[in-house]
Amino acid sequence: MTKRSDPTQAGQASESATRPEMPEIRLLLSLRSHQYRTRRRLALCDDLCTSLDVLYRAALALSTSGLGSGEDQDSDYVNNAPASAHTICSMVRDFAAALNQVIELVEPDVGNDEDEPAGPADSSVAPVVHQTLFKALDEHTGLRNWKDVSWIGLECGSGHRLEFQWSTAMTCLRKNPQKGCRALRPAVLLARRLADEAMSLLDPAAGPITEERAAAYSVTKKLRAQINHVRTLVNRKCDTLEREMRSVQSAIIKAQSQTMSLAKNLSKVGNSAD
């Protein structure tokens, strides 16, 4: 039994056989995809610089506030100024929020969509920042006095994110300032450590973010040159195809004109023969 051919498949095969190959298009799409990922690396560097600067300022404000250095002095500071408890809570809250923001940026499992690749997955600096922050957190939360921070509603939760309860801290600082100031000491020590780490990460001379930005910029510059070169080749090939199509169109029109002229002459010859 003979197998009947599918006219649709035959037509597609014929069309693919006559369609001109354009490998430059596939190369151009690949280069554009690579360029997109490199631009995301640059964008991540900018976001990290902004977030680390916020973390540095928040950590510096808490670590240089004088809190946690002496219980008597701190308790007098809280008792003598009713607004101080609110100010202290604001500093702790801002510090925790700034740290959590940086962790969100460098989290390795962010963005699992294949069409929208995650910046940290393509960045070499994200794991460095991630490891630096987690190492500092692990070392300080492992200290014996870290558990005291629970009195002011501070806790290192899942994913090394700091969780802060404003109401718990306000109650502790107002009703038991000595206990609250004792609880602040581990948080101040952590803030001091993270301020130093943020400054080293932002170092414009030898910091990892500076190196990452320079590498990503270099790749972007090379990709832009390659894309422009491929675009030039594609435009030339398209111009050549356009000229060939116009030549074929002119030949078809000329052949049609000759065919009509020949048919007209043949009709005249037939009439004269009659």
Side-chain angles (χ1 to χ4, degrees), residues 241-255:
L241 290 174
E242 184 179 3
R243 287 193 296 268
E244 292 177 354
M245 291 176 62
R246 288 181 177 178
S247 298
V248 172
Q249 185 179 16
S250 299
I252 292 174
I253 294 174
K254 184 177 180 179

Side-chain angles (χ1 to χ4, degrees), residues 223-238:
L223 287 173
R224 187 183 299 116
Q226 292 177 350
I227 289 173
N228 291 336
H229 177 67
V230 174
R231 280 177 174 172
T232 301
L233 294 178
V234 171
N235 290 335
R236 289 177 181 175
K237 181 171 283 191
C238 288

Side-chain angles (χ1 to χ4, degrees), residues 2 7 45 59 76 83 88 99 108-109 124 135 142 150 154 158 176 187 193 231 236-237 244 251 257 259-260 266 268:
T2 60
C45 287
D76 293 339
I88 294 171
L99 175 61
D109 59 348
S124 62
K135 181 180 179 181
S150 61
L154 187 64
S158 60
N176 195 339
R193 167 73 179 276
R231 280 177 174 172
R236 289 177 181 175
K237 181 171 283 191
E244 292 177 354
S257 176
T259 301
M260 294 177 62
L266 289 175
K268 290 181 179 180

Side-chain angles (χ1 to χ4, degrees), residues 178-235:
Q178 291 83 2
K179 189 176 182 179
C181 292
R182 179 182 171 186
L184 283 168
R185 180 165 179 76
V188 170
L189 292 176
L190 175 62
R192 187 176 304 163
R193 167 73 179 276
L194 289 179
D196 293 338
E197 297 291 358
M199 179 58 66
S200 64
L201 291 170
L202 290 170
D203 185 357
I209 298 180
T210 301
E211 296 178 1
E212 169 73 0
R213 178 186 279 110
Y217 178 78
S218 176
V219 172
T220 302
K221 188 175 181 180
K222 293 178 181 178
L223 287 173
R224 187 183 299 116
Q226 292 177 350
I227 289 173
N228 291 336
H229 177 67
V230 174
R231 280 177 174 172
T232 301
L233 294 178
V234 171
N235 290 335

